[in-house]
Amino acid sequence: MKRWHMIVDLAKCVGCFNCLMACKDEHVGNQWLPYTDEQQRHEDKWIEPVRHERGVAPYTEVCFVPMTCQQCDDAPCAKVCPDAFVKRSDGIMLIDPARAKGNKALKDACPYGAIQWNEELNCAQKCTMCAHLLDQGWKEPRCVQACPLRALSVVYCEDAEFDRMAAKQRLKPLTDGSNHPRVLYKNLYKYNKCFIAGGLAYQDGDIEKAAVDAKIKLSMNGVLLKEVYADFLGEYKIDRLPKNSGTYTLEFTMDGYKPMTTEVTLGEESPCLPCMKFEKLS
Ligand code: SF4
Ligand code: SF4
């Protein structure tokens, strides 16, 4: 049976907030019962691109992580309050607006913080994946339609077909996947992995020059893991390293110069090493 799946690509999202605004446009002032009551004008965000920074100056990087209901198949929210949720056969999870009235406990039932409390209507609400539109034949929800970079997309297919697609495109769940979310992320390393960055230089007479094309080898316990080259500024960046993954050795080489090594222990953050300078071989 075909069901809905969403893909979010962190390499494409630029944090323009069009998705959030399209969601507001669809749901503020509009009552789409029995799917959902209207959304609050200002407080609630059923989808929100959340800014995430990595690195230390001068090597920093920002990405935006669109956060929304993950449409979990094994949903913690529904376990807390089974009567208030409706899992449709097409995979979409809805909150029953009548049962969500006055039930403030629902707000904390989602580990992703996707359920919001509408003070004006005294009820819990969340993203419906625009089920009222999909049921009319729309091919995608308003947020997806409004995304200018196609960072959001939906796929309506058999789960097995989507699993193949997810493996091929390396789609990952936002957390450990134990809730079986129907929203998967592409290029999630921008959110949950670290990089090691730095610069390399050498002395040429009175001038310090960028060590363009110097080679950098990353290893751990004597096992080579990655090999990259410095760019035209003599800078390097080795990405997709797991957080808290231990101590790495970096070896820097450049023809005609003495090799250099250093060690880095990865924690939660992406470290940036000070510029290192090659010495000429005598
Ligand atoms: S993301 Fe939260 S609200 Fe959405 S289905 Fe999962 S647990 Fe429920
Ligand atoms: S509309 Fe697309 S690019 Fe803009 S913030 Fe939303 S997901 Fe990102």
Side-chain angles (χ1 to χ4, degrees):
M1 174 179 191
K2 289 187 176 180
R3 307 209 288 165
W4 289 100
H5 313 260
M6 183 182 257
I7 301 172
V8 181
D9 189 344
L10 299 193
K12 290 184 177 169
C13 178
V14 292
C16 68
F17 286 76
N18 270 16
C19 47
L20 187 154
M21 295 311 292
C23 181
K24 289 276 171 204
D25 185 55
E26 186 61 28
H27 292 281
V28 173
N30 293 321
Q31 204 181 35
W32 300 121
L33 293 172
Y35 301 89
T36 184
D37 213 324
E38 59 188 271
Q39 188 181 131
Q40 286 191 113
R41 181 171 297 275
H42 296 297
E43 300 303 324
D44 297 342
K45 295 169 185 141
W46 294 356
I47 181 165
E48 181 182 16
V50 177
R51 182 187 163 98
H52 178 72
E53 289 177 25
R54 294 192 301 162
V56 182
Y59 303 104
T60 56
E61 186 185 290
V62 169
C63 79
F64 289 85
V65 186
M67 303 290 276
T68 186
C69 170
Q70 306 289 299
Q71 311 293 343
C72 313
D73 281 351
D74 190 11
C77 60
K79 286 178 190 156
V80 173
C81 203
D83 293 347
F85 292 89
V86 181
K87 185 68 170 174
R88 298 180 7 150
S89 57
D90 62 3
I92 296 175
M93 177 71 91
L94 296 177
I95 300 183
D96 180 337
R99 292 181 183 268
K101 277 263 182 214
N103 193 347
K104 207 163 186 177
L106 283 182
K107 185 176 173 301
D108 301 319
C110 170
Y112 301 93
I115 301 177
Q116 306 189 341
W117 184 250
N118 186 326
E119 278 297 342
E120 292 162 9
L121 298 176
N122 191 36
C123 81
Q125 295 178 314
K126 69 169 195 70
C127 163
T128 63
M129 224 175 171
C130 285
H132 64 291
L133 296 177
L134 299 178
D135 287 352
Q136 289 171 41
W138 280 52
K139 300 286 183 250
E140 48 194 26
R142 286 287 308 274
C143 56
V144 174
Q145 189 194 48
C147 177
L149 280 301
R150 301 304 288 169
L152 305 175
S153 56
V154 286
V155 183
Y156 184 57
C157 67
E158 306 272 342
D159 282 358
E161 188 184 341
F162 187 73
D163 288 347
R164 282 194 292 276
M165 191 183 296
K168 197 171 169 191
Q169 297 188 33
R170 295 193 194 175
L171 307 180
K172 303 280 183 211
L174 193 59
T175 54
D176 62 5
S178 58
N179 304 325
H180 301 287
R182 308 194 71 76
V183 178
L184 293 185
Y185 289 75
K186 197 170 180 177
N187 294 307
L188 192 63
Y189 71 93
K190 289 176 168 290
Y191 171 66
N192 64 3
K193 296 271 170 77
C194 289
F195 63 73
I196 298 172
L200 296 167
Y202 67 98
Q203 199 68 32
D204 185 8
D206 292 340
I207 303 172
E208 189 175 285
K209 290 188 172 174
V212 177
D213 292 334
K215 190 192 281 183
I216 303 102
K217 285 182 181 173
L218 181 83
S219 56
M220 182 181 268
N221 300 325
V223 178
L224 178 66
L225 302 172
K226 296 195 185 202
E227 196 173 281
V228 299
Y229 287 88
D231 64 14
F232 69 104
L233 293 170
E235 296 176 347
Y236 61 89
K237 180 172 151 193
I238 305 174
D239 209 338
R240 302 178 194 237
L241 303 172
K243 293 180 177 179
N244 302 302
S245 50
T247 301
Y248 293 86
T249 302
L250 288 122
E251 184 186 347
F252 308 98
T253 53
M254 189 168 81
D255 286 348
Y257 289 81
K258 292 181 188 168
M260 305 183 286
T261 58
T262 191
E263 293 202 330
V264 183
T265 301
L266 272 193
E268 286 288 318
E269 308 295 334
S270 295
C272 295
L273 308 184
C275 181
M276 295 174 71
K277 208 159 144 185
F278 285 104
E279 281 178 29
K280 224 175 175 42
L281 282 168
S282 44

